[in-house]
Amino acid sequence: MMNNYNANVMNLDSKVKITAPCSHSLFLDATHLKGCSLSVQKKIWALVERCQASTAFIDVVPAMNSLTVYLVHSDHIRYWQTTLLQWWNTTDIQEHKGTHHKIVTRYGGECGPDLEFIANYHGISASSVIELHMNVTYLVLFLGFQPGFTYLHGLPAELHTPRRSEPRVKVPKGSVAIGADQTSIYPADSPGGWHIIGHTNFSLFDWQNNPPCAIAPGDTLQFISEEALL
């Protein structure tokens, strides 16, 4: 008997939509597939690696259950519209192997001004918030909002918290924060409406590096308390 996971994977084949938003780009849309969002995302990451290994694309941009590729030559667009669909149907989600990152974090105090709010909101101690936040291996779904900002899958349900009613005008670079059912790190100073629970010195984005983003979609990530290392 086929289990549900394998059935979901097989049902991904031939159900994506590939359109041409302009003369040099193709958009692969799998957002309409239901019940297998994480499997879809894993397959997109594996497809990204195949695309990046080709010299046909200027850029390859994965998003949540979708992928945009920018072609070097516009006259190849019909060929790649067909080929991308073929690649989608022959790509195994197990082909992608991401990098694991350990993010040393200082929780609470001036570094995490909203830690006590999160604790009070859920009726638990601040130390419980920290423990719950650390004892998870997060999966990087995609990058967005600003360069290097990681949307992480895996925040425990006990920490799901609505965003702030009044966003901050400035959230410091390196802030570790919770917003709704996700957690992330702010790669640069910016406005933001997530609750800040800690801070890390880990640099997520540097335009002089190649690649400029230290963390990529499909990577895994774990937060480690700075105090635990002392």
Side-chain angles (χ1 to χ4, degrees), residues 114-133:
D114 297 326
L115 178 63
E116 292 295 338
F117 172 85
I118 295 286
N120 293 334
Y121 182 86
H122 294 285
I124 58 179
S125 65
S127 60
S128 294
V129 172
I130 296 171
E131 184 176 359
L132 285 166
H133 191 257

Side-chain angles (χ1 to χ4, degrees), residues 86-105:
Q86 293 173 348
W87 281 8
W88 174 265
N89 292 334
T90 58
T91 295
D92 187 338
I93 65 173
Q94 303 301 326
E95 291 178 23
H96 176 79
K97 304 296 181 183
T99 301
H100 184 66
H101 306 270
K102 294 183 178 181
I103 308 299
V104 178
T105 304

Side-chain angles (χ1 to χ4, degrees), residues 141-229:
L141 293 176
F142 61 99
L143 307 182
F145 171 53
Q146 57 177 282
F149 189 95
T150 57
Y151 286 87
L152 303 176
H153 171 79
L155 183 71
E158 298 93 328
L159 297 182
H160 291 187
T161 311
R163 292 171 175 81
R164 290 172 55 90
S165 56
E166 295 185 9
R168 289 182 170 90
V169 175
K170 180 181 179 182
V171 175
K173 173 183 178 180
S175 292
V176 176
I178 289 174
D181 60 350
Q182 291 187 326
T183 186
S184 190
I185 308 163
Y186 283 80
D189 294 350
S190 72
W194 292 24
H195 300 278
I196 304 171
I197 62 170
H199 181 272
T200 180
N201 291 325
F202 185 89
S203 179
L204 289 105
F205 179 81
D206 186 337
W207 66 270
Q208 299 183 75
N209 292 339
N210 185 22
C213 293
I215 298 176
D219 286 356
T220 55
L221 185 154
Q222 183 179 6
F223 293 96
I224 300 174
S225 171
E226 183 177 83
E227 290 75 9
L229 300 178

Side-chain angles (χ1 to χ4, degrees), residues 65-107:
N65 290 177
S66 67
L67 173 67
T68 303
V69 295
Y70 297 88
L71 282 75
V72 175
H73 302 292
S74 62
D75 54 342
H76 295 170
I77 197 163
R78 288 188 179 276
Y79 167 80
W80 279 107
Q81 191 166 14
T82 300
T83 301
L84 277 180
L85 181 59
Q86 293 173 348
W87 281 8
W88 174 265
N89 292 334
T90 58
T91 295
D92 187 338
I93 65 173
Q94 303 301 326
E95 291 178 23
H96 176 79
K97 304 296 181 183
T99 301
H100 184 66
H101 306 270
K102 294 183 178 181
I103 308 299
V104 178
T105 304
R106 176 172 292 182
Y107 288 94

